[in-house]
């Protein structure tokens, strides 16, 4: 074990002695720090901020992966090179799979567990999406639950989920307000932001990213969108109060 | 001496028993109907009634079917057991628990006390 660490140490020395490689690594780290700093600026849209965050993670993963690719049997010793490379590759692969799960698999699982709605709520969402110029309206799904709840997902095709419990307790205008709030999230790109914020939240202490502020900002924008379409926030606020009870 | 209605209340919250009582009285009902029926005696929000019914459904105390009426999608709830069946099953559970805990001595007590 110590022998292997010593080998790795000398391999690292060799890697860092190469000025081209060192420059690339330093450039990656500096860009990563710049991007996370830029992503904190809430004036950028959620789409841009999440792009910055994904790029930040990719740039952070670059140095260890780059180092792993330069390892050869001569430097580390025949049997250990595979192990070290595997370890250095496992972290990025796990992260990518985790993000793919959040971005693609979770929305798919929600779809499979719900029934498509093809009545007035889908028509309402189609109409509003047309008005906004979205090239494809999100699908509306019904969740078989008595609890009043609503949420939406991004992924390859955005979708909105509303429970039967919600349809039971809200009025028509209140349901429309909730659908508009979710449409606001989809239009804004909140869904790409969610898994990356969740990941970075685990990596960094609170002040670096301020995840609570990110979530609050997305909710504020979705609320503002619904209120601007309805020209009042009365229905949305009533709906929220009812659903929180 | 425990009153019979107290047996129902023992394992249910006040809102849960009010909802079950309403269902036993009116049979199949929607959330809205149940809410209208109980709201004067049990001041609560309609969403609390919906959430509570969902919980009773998960506990298999009520069943539900989906209807697509004029007001859109909604559940029609009804109870799984009649009031008498429900009380009986509660009493059975209570007795089973006592016998499980006290074994022979509980059985012989019941024999002594309720021998004809
Ligand atoms: Zn929201």
């Amino acid at each position: 074990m110590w022998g292997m660490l010593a080998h790795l140490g000398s391999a690292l020395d060799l890697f860092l002695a190469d000025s081209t490689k060192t420059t690339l690594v330093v450039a990656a780290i500096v860009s990563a720090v710049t991007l996370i700093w830029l992503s904190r600026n809430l004036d950028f849209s959620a789409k841009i901020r999440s792009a910055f965050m994904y790029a930040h993670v990719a740039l952070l993963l670059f140095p260890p992966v780059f180092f792993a690719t330069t390892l050869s049997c001569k430097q580390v010793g025949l049997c250990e090179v595979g192990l070290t490379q595997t370890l250095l590759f496992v972290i990025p692969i796990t992260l990518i799979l985790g993000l793919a799960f959040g971005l693609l698999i979770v929305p798919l699982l929600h779809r499979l567990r719900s029934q498509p709605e093809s009545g007035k709520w889908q028509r309402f969402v189609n109409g509003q999406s047309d008005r906004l110029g979205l090239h494809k309206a999100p699908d509306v799904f019904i969740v078989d639950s008595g609890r009043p709840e609503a949420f939406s997902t991004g992924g390859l095709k955005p979708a909105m989920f509303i429970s039967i419990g919600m349809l039971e307790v809200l009025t028509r205008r209140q349901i429309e307000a909730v659908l508009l709030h979710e449409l606001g999230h989809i239009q804004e790109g909140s869904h790409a932001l969610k898994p990356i914020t969740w990941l970075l939240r685990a990596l960094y202490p609170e002040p670096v990213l301020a995840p609570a502020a990110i979530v609050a900002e997305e909710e504020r924008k979705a609320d503002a969108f619904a209120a601007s379409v309805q020209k009042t926030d009365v229905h949305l606020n009533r709906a929220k109060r009812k659903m929180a009870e | 001496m425990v009153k019979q209605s107290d047996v129902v209340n023992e394992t249910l919250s006040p809102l849960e028993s009010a909802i079950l009582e309403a269902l036993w009285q009116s049979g199949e009902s929607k959330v809205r109907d149940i809410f209208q029926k109980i709201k004067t005696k049990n001041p609560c929000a309609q969403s609390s009634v919906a959430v509570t019914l969902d919980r009773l459904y998960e506990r298999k105390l009520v069943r539900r079917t989906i209807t697509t009426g004029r007001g859109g999608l909604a559940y029609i709830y009804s109870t799984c057991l009649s009031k008498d069946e429900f009380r009986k099953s509660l009493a059975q559970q209570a007795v089973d628990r006592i016998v499980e805990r006290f074994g022979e001595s509980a059985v012989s007590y019941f024999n002594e006390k309720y021998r004809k």
Side-chain angles (χ1 to χ4, degrees):
Chain A
M1 183 66 204
W2 292 114
M4 181 183 156
L5 280 180
H7 281 306
L8 259 185
S10 58
L12 191 60
D13 281 344
L14 214 68
F15 179 80
L16 294 175
D18 186 327
S19 64
T20 324
K21 286 172 186 161
T22 321
T23 313
L24 279 173
V25 166
V26 171
I29 292 171
V30 170
S31 320
V33 172
T34 314
L35 282 175
I36 196 74
W37 179 75
L38 282 174
S39 76
R40 296 180 42 141
N41 186 340
L42 297 180
D43 291 338
F44 293 119
S45 76
K47 278 174 194 148
I48 291 176
R49 281 185 294 135
S50 54
F52 285 168
M53 290 185 198
Y54 286 102
H56 167 81
V57 171
L59 285 165
L60 273 192
L61 291 174
F62 170 72
V65 172
F66 185 32
F67 173 58
T69 56
T70 63
L71 289 176
S72 70
C73 311
K74 236 189 288 167
Q75 287 164 337
V76 190
L78 197 59
C79 49
E80 284 130 359
V81 68
L83 180 69
T84 316
Q85 280 181 328
T86 312
L87 279 176
L88 287 172
F89 285 130
V90 157
I91 301 163
I93 289 170
T94 314
L95 286 180
I96 290 165
L97 287 179
L99 288 174
F101 184 78
L103 285 169
L104 303 169
I105 311 295
V106 170
L108 197 69
L109 292 176
H110 283 305
R111 276 170 179 265
L112 291 174
R113 279 177 34 212
S114 323
Q115 292 295 317
E117 200 269 355
S118 46
K120 58 178 165 182
W121 306 121
Q122 182 67 65
R123 281 199 298 280
F124 174 76
V125 169
N126 289 348
Q128 292 298 323
S129 305
D130 261 2
R131 210 180 50 81
L132 282 170
L134 295 180
H135 45 262
K136 196 85 176 77
D139 296 325
V140 179
F141 286 89
I142 299 292
V143 180
D144 187 3
S145 165
R147 271 159 229 275
E149 56 186 4
F151 59 94
S152 52
T153 57
L156 294 176
K157 194 161 189 312
M160 295 181 188
F161 300 84
I162 49 179
S163 70
I164 294 180
M166 190 196 89
L167 296 174
E168 285 173 332
V169 302
L170 298 189
T171 64
R172 184 179 64 86
R173 294 287 276 166
Q174 289 163 359
I175 295 168
E176 288 176 358
V178 170
L179 290 172
L180 286 168
H181 171 99
E182 296 306 331
L183 194 61
H185 276 311
I186 289 168
Q187 195 210 12
E188 177 62 24
S190 310
H191 297 103
L193 205 55
K194 217 177 186 176
I196 194 78
T197 307
W198 182 80
L199 169 71
L200 292 179
R201 182 184 217 157
L203 283 177
Y204 299 125
E206 175 84 22
V208 175
L209 195 69
I214 292 176
V215 174
E217 173 69 4
E218 289 313 298
E219 290 310 314
R220 192 194 61 73
K221 281 183 187 160
D223 284 355
F225 175 77
S228 77
V229 175
Q230 289 197 320
K231 301 196 172 60
T232 170
D233 58 5
V234 169
H235 307 300
L236 184 65
N237 288 337
R238 290 235 172 94
K240 279 188 176 178
R241 218 172 308 133
K242 276 188 183 173
M243 288 166 84
E245 266 162 355
Chain B
M1 188 64 200
V2 181
K3 277 185 292 172
Q4 275 199 315
S5 62
D6 289 344
V7 181
V8 178
N9 292 334
E10 214 170 54
T11 51
L12 298 170
S13 74
L15 186 56
E16 285 172 332
S17 42
I19 289 173
L20 280 182
E21 284 294 343
L23 277 172
W24 277 319
Q25 275 178 33
S26 357
E28 292 189 334
S29 318
K30 290 185 184 179
V31 171
R32 202 159 298 178
D33 309 327
I34 299 169
F35 172 66
Q36 293 301 337
K37 203 170 163 106
I38 66 169
K39 69 175 176 185
T40 36
K41 269 194 184 169
N42 304 69
C44 65
Q46 196 182 320
S47 55
S48 311
V49 177
V51 170
T52 308
L53 274 163
D54 197 64
R55 195 165 48 227
L56 290 171
Y57 171 77
E58 275 161 15
R59 285 168 66 185
K60 298 194 167 59
L61 287 171
V62 300
R63 55 176 147 241
R64 67 190 181 196
T65 52
I66 299 173
T67 143
T68 40
R70 207 173 54 84
L73 279 178
Y75 291 120
I76 295 182
Y77 286 99
S78 56
T79 51
C80 292
L81 299 170
S82 72
K83 196 171 175 176
D84 282 339
E85 287 168 338
F86 181 69
R87 277 214 210 99
K88 202 174 160 191
S89 80
L90 279 182
Q92 269 169 3
Q93 280 169 25
V95 171
D96 286 350
R97 266 201 302 276
I98 291 168
V99 171
E100 205 174 286
R101 184 150 170 227
F102 298 101
E104 274 301 316
S105 36
V107 177
S108 59
Y109 170 77
F110 281 130
N111 277 338
E112 252 170 63
K113 175 115 188 173
Y114 298 103
R115 199 166 27 207
K116 278 173 200 159

